[in-house]
């Protein structure tokens, strides 16, 4: 086996182990609650050692919010690296539809059960939107010709974050596709009101 093949095999094995840890944690958080679940419980359910869980995730909170945090990082990067002339709505459309293609419907349902059973995790999830909101506000200000740091772009970015939370919680399918279209139309109309009169 070549070194490249070994590296690929090792990476796939790590990805499967990480996925097993997340899935086990989500299941336990949904059934027992976040506070009542220990790292040892997660390790046992994922069939790994507690030390392995710690290698992948510094805390239970990091496990619970891992997929969400990855999504926020991906969105922030997409907004920050958009092509010249590409609108924020265009970036959001591309990002949402791409996320839908790579979404695991069963894992999405499990995550929804976990968040429903643990309202404190919803609060943490919302708090992690800060970087995306700042990036979005800067993009909206630049796109609309408004002053950076002004209220309009900030409030539009906050509204966008709230809408994205709702849309990304939907399971892939026609209803989600329709929700994406409606959300983007709404956001586009709102952002356009911020431009010069």
């Amino acid at each position: 086996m070549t070194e490249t093949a070994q590296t690929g095999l090792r990476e796939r094995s790590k990805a499967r182990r990480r996925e097993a840890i997340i899935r086990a944690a989500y299941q336990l958080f949904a059934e027992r609650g976040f506070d009542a679940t220990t790292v040892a419980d997660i390790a046992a359910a994922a069939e790994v050692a507690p030390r392995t869980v710690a290698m992948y995730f510094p805390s239970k909170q990091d496990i619970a919010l891992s997929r969400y945090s990855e999504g926020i990082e991906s969105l922030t990067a997409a907004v920050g690296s958009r092509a010249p002339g590409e609108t924020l709505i265009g970036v959001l459309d591309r990002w949402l539809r791409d996320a839908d293609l790579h979404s695991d419907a069963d894992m999405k349902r499990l995550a929804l059960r976990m968040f429903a059973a643990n309202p404190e995790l919803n609060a943490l999830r919302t708090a992690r939107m800060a970087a995306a909101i700042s990036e979005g506000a800067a993009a909206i200000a630049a796109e609309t010709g408004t002053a950076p740091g002004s209220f309009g772009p900030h409030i539009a970015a906050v509204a966008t974050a709230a809408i994205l939370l709702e849309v990304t919680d939907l399971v892939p399918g026609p209803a989600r596709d329709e929700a994406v279209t409606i959300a983007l139309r709404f956001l586009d109309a709102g952002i356009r009101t911020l431009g010069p009169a």
Side-chain angles (χ1 to χ4, degrees):
M1 185 178 288
T2 67
E3 187 175 329
T4 303
Q6 285 178 339
T7 300
L9 181 62
R10 194 169 31 250
E11 292 306 313
R12 285 192 303 276
S13 177
K14 286 171 67 174
R16 279 193 301 272
R17 200 173 305 119
R18 186 177 189 281
E19 182 74 11
I21 291 167
I22 294 169
R23 189 175 295 276
Y26 281 18
Q27 185 78 40
L28 291 169
F29 295 158
E31 291 171 0
R32 298 181 188 175
F34 180 77
D35 291 333
T37 302
T38 67
V39 171
D41 295 334
I42 296 166
E47 299 181 346
V48 298
R51 198 172 122 226
T52 302
V53 174
M55 283 176 22
Y56 286 88
F57 301 100
S59 71
K60 289 191 311 180
Q61 200 177 90
D62 289 312
I63 302 171
L65 299 176
S66 62
R67 289 180 160 250
Y68 182 73
S69 295
E70 289 165 6
I72 293 301
E73 288 171 14
S74 165
L75 175 58
T76 302
V79 169
S81 65
R82 67 191 185 285
E86 186 177 20
T87 66
L88 181 62
I89 296 301
V91 171
L92 292 175
D93 187 24
R94 182 171 34 84
W95 182 81
L96 284 166
R97 306 228 188 250
D98 186 54
D100 196 25
L101 289 174
H102 299 99
S103 183
D104 177 339
D106 290 335
M107 191 63 125
K108 176 76 72 173
R109 287 185 195 94
L110 189 55
L112 290 174
R113 283 183 47 220
M114 175 189 69
F115 283 118
N118 300 279
E120 70 276 16
L121 292 178
N122 274 321
L124 291 170
R125 184 168 72 148
T126 302
R128 292 207 176 176
M129 289 292 287
I133 289 170
S134 293
E135 190 75 34
I140 292 167
E143 193 171 301
T144 59
T146 52
S150 61
F151 183 73
H154 176 75
I155 200 68
V158 170
T160 301
I163 289 168
L164 287 176
L165 275 175
E166 292 297 318
V167 172
T168 57
D169 275 351
L170 298 173
V171 174
R176 185 182 189 278
D177 292 341
E178 182 181 3
V180 167
T181 300
I182 291 166
L184 293 175
R185 192 180 317 134
F186 175 81
L187 290 171
D188 186 43
I191 289 170
R192 280 192 272 145
T193 67
L194 300 175

